[in-house]
Amino acid sequence: MVKICCIGAGYVGGPTMAVIALKCPSVEVVVVDISEPRIAGWNSDRLPIYEPGLDDVVKQCRGRNLFFSTEVHRHVGDADIVFVSVNTPTKTCGLGAGKAADLTYWESAARMIADVSRSDKIVVEKSTVPVKTAEAIEKILVHNSRGVRYQILSNPEFLAEGTAIQDLFAPDRVLIGGRETPEGRAAVKKLKDVYAHWVPEDRIITTNLWSAELSKLAANAFLAQRISSVNAISALCEATGADVTQVAHSVGKDARIGPRFLSASVGFGGSCFQKDILNLVYICECYGLPEVAGYWREVIRINDYQKSRFVNRVVSSMFNTVAGKKVAVLGFAFKKDTGDTRETPAIDVCNGLLGDKAVVSIYDPQVTEEQVSRDLAMKKFDWDHPRHLQPLSATDLAKQVAVAADAYEAARDAHAVCILTEWDEFRGLDYKRMFDAMHKPAFIFDGRNVVDVAKLREIGFIVYSIGKPLDDWLKDMPAVA
């Protein structure tokens, strides 16, 4: 029986290993983490992350060939293949601060693997890492090997939260990078044989290590670039009276472009896009490519501009102040069908409103009050460190921020509603009921283009929808507060 151990029981490690266990009954899979509460969650009926379909997969395999444990050293020592799926946060101080990836946790994992290993191992990069990280990890392992031989592979994940299980069941591609040596090719084949249990061979791509590492950063950069491109056009649409939905539909009909990732919004979020682009910028700068670095930096700048533009529109529309006014925020996760709030645009929007002394009431079907408090208290990049190293929730926000049990409670006595996540339930709300319980004039600021603008205007709302022709009320208001 092949034994696989994954270090890190987070959004990548947990679902990926669960699907491998399901599809490979002859493989023993153990997910390890130093966080006892997180492992306890994976062993309970309420998993620590929300992902459609994940519960069923875990329940089918857990206790059979899928295990979750805090006994890190024992299971790493026993494994044939060790996946490393630990945090790679953006550095907040020192060389490369604000751009470079902090590989502290990766280095600690590599040193631990070297300390506990007594048999040859294949070590697989599953976290998103800078190009040439494998070389650094290889040096640590080789210099501490005590006769144990290691092969380093890069096997980046290409999961989209909300569809991660579907993506794992039927991936567009599985990418495996390894050394171009007999030993390296043998290691690639061993990992390829695991995925071949359910992934067609033509979808398993093998490359050298550096191509695999760079492919992940490039893929995320390309996707984020599409979002920033359509968001830039959304600002122009508002200025000219065009409709960004119609423009995006027309553009997406071109087979060379396609329709995906062309939905205008308040901005992109999630754990990867911004972090990976900043990492790409830093790598380009290090290799003496300032023009390339500048190109990718603009993707981030447009995303920040879109969020600040949204806040400005809210404040300027409401007589240039939201001080003391209740603003309902519907949706806090960075996208629907996930409870993940990492780099969610809602954080910057809420902080912008709070900075103008608004009273904010938040509803999200999958995000807890504790998580909201943590996110609004954190400094930039704090979210990507283990939970016990994150700052505690700020108590001074309590008077300005409340978390509601449903959308109607959030909107009761509010002056405005901001829709920041495209949850399906927000499309079917009784907006007449909501309108009747709000102060007038009642505003809706749709950051995800989920509402029927015409119907809401018939009810009596003043509606702002990203990239859509402006309400007559808004035409008379400056776009910047």
Side-chain angles (χ1 to χ4, degrees):
M1 176 179 277
V2 174
K3 292 186 176 182
I4 290 176
C5 180
C6 177
I7 303 171
Y11 280 91
V12 174
T16 303
M17 294 303 114
V19 170
I20 288 177
L22 179 69
K23 298 294 187 179
C24 307
S26 62
V27 175
E28 180 184 284
V29 181
V30 183
V31 183
V32 296
D33 201 294
I34 60 172
S35 170
E36 292 186 4
R38 180 169 284 263
I39 291 299
W42 281 107
N43 284 317
S44 73
D45 291 331
R46 185 175 177 82
L47 302 184
I49 65 174
Y50 172 72
E51 188 66 45
L54 178 60
D55 273 9
D56 291 340
V57 174
V58 171
K59 286 174 182 175
Q60 287 183 64
C61 304
R62 192 172 56 198
R64 186 191 71 190
N65 67 325
L66 174 65
F67 306 91
F68 298 92
S69 175
T70 55
E71 295 183 75
V72 179
H73 291 188
R74 178 166 77 88
H75 291 294
V76 169
D78 290 344
D80 304 303
I81 302 174
V82 179
F83 285 82
V84 183
S85 184
V86 296
N87 297 28
T88 51
T90 303
K91 290 183 72 173
T92 55
C93 59
L95 187 64
K99 291 176 288 189
D102 183 346
L103 297 179
T104 300
Y105 305 121
W106 236 111
E107 182 178 341
S108 296
R111 293 186 182 279
M112 181 272 294
I113 293 169
D115 285 344
V116 304
S117 295
R118 299 294 178 267
S119 59
D120 295 351
K121 300 253 184 295
I122 296 172
V123 178
V124 184
E125 295 175 337
K126 202 63 183 171
S127 313
T128 304
V129 294
V131 183
K132 298 288 186 177
T133 297
E135 193 169 64
I137 301 308
E138 189 175 58
K139 288 176 181 176
I140 291 171
L141 293 172
V142 168
H143 282 278
N144 294 276
S145 66
R146 295 194 297 272
V148 176
R149 291 173 299 178
Y150 299 96
Q151 283 298 319
I152 317 299
L153 302 181
S154 174
N155 176 219
E157 54 83 17
F158 296 100
L159 307 179
E161 289 184 45
T163 59
I165 299 302
Q166 179 185 329
D167 296 341
L168 287 162
F169 281 175
D172 292 333
R173 78 288 204 196
V174 170
L175 178 59
I176 305 171
R179 286 284 191 185
E180 295 174 304
T181 62
E183 296 81 7
R185 284 189 282 270
V188 168
K189 183 180 184 305
K190 190 164 187 176
L191 183 56
K192 184 177 179 180
D193 288 344
V194 172
Y195 284 110
H197 279 80
W198 79 97
V199 180
E201 188 172 357
D202 62 350
R203 293 196 178 188
I204 304 176
I205 303 170
T206 60
T207 67
N208 67 35
L209 270 172
W210 325 130
S211 295
E213 289 179 336
L214 184 55
S215 292
K216 171 62 175 176
L217 295 179
N220 280 341
F222 276 48
L223 293 174
Q225 177 197 45
R226 284 176 70 96
I227 297 171
S228 281
S229 293
V230 75
N231 282 343
I233 294 299
S234 75
L236 183 59
C237 286
E238 290 170 28
T240 59
D243 185 326
V244 71
T245 304
Q246 296 174 355
V247 173
H249 179 72
S250 300
V251 170
K253 283 295 184 181
D254 188 322
R256 297 167 300 175
I257 298 172
R260 299 189 67 183
F261 281 78
L262 289 181
S263 297
S265 69
V266 67
F268 60 72
S271 63
C272 292
F273 283 0
Q274 175 163 295
K275 182 176 73 172
D276 289 355
I277 293 175
L278 290 172
N279 191 356
L280 191 61
V281 167
Y282 182 68
I283 292 168
C284 292
E285 290 174 345
C286 289
Y287 281 94
L289 302 169
E291 293 82 5
V292 180
Y295 174 82
W296 289 112
R297 190 183 290 109
E298 287 303 309
V299 174
I300 299 291
R301 287 186 61 184
I302 288 293
N303 196 53
D304 290 339
Y305 164 73
Q306 189 77 341
K307 290 180 285 189
S308 63
R309 190 170 76 84
F310 186 87
V311 173
N312 285 339
R313 181 68 77 179
V314 173
V315 176
S316 65
S317 301
M318 296 171 67
F319 314 104
N320 220 34
T321 180
V322 291
K325 297 175 183 177
K326 181 179 177 181
V327 178
V329 169
L330 302 188
F332 199 80
F334 84 92
K335 62 186 284 190
K336 72 173 185 177
D337 293 334
T338 179
D340 194 354
T341 61
R342 294 176 292 179
E343 293 287 357
T344 175
I347 294 174
D348 288 330
V349 171
C350 287
N351 281 331
L353 296 172
L354 292 170
D356 205 73
K357 305 301 181 185
V359 177
V360 178
S361 182
I362 299 167
Y363 166 67
D364 188 289
Q366 288 296 334
V367 181
T368 65
E369 183 172 1
E370 180 193 7
Q371 189 61 51
V372 169
S373 298
R374 275 181 172 271
D375 287 336
L376 294 178
M378 281 187 211
K379 295 179 181 176
K380 201 165 183 65
F381 307 128
D382 278 348
W383 57 266
D384 207 11
H385 291 271
R387 195 172 180 86
H388 67 282
L389 296 179
Q390 295 174 3
L392 297 175
S393 303
T395 56
D396 57 352
L397 290 175
K399 293 180 180 178
Q400 275 186 271
V401 179
V403 175
D406 58 45
Y408 302 108
E409 180 186 327
R412 189 179 302 120
D413 296 323
H415 291 259
V417 172
C418 296
I419 301 174
L420 302 183
T421 310
E422 71 280 19
W423 286 104
D424 291 338
E425 70 176 84
F426 297 158
R427 300 178 188 274
L429 292 173
D430 184 345
Y431 284 100
K432 178 66 167 65
R433 172 185 169 187
M434 195 175 284
F435 177 81
D436 291 341
M438 292 174 65
H439 289 285
K440 310 300 184 295
F443 297 84
I444 282 190
F445 299 93
D446 184 2
R448 296 288 182 171
N449 285 342
V450 301
V451 301
D452 185 324
V453 174
K455 284 186 178 179
L456 293 191
R457 286 178 180 154
E458 285 178 12
I459 291 171
F461 281 107
I462 296 165
V463 184
Y464 166 73
S465 202
I466 289 276
K468 298 292 186 77
L470 294 177
D471 193 293
D472 288 340
W473 174 289
L474 301 175
K475 288 177 183 177
D476 299 327
M477 299 288 180
V480 178

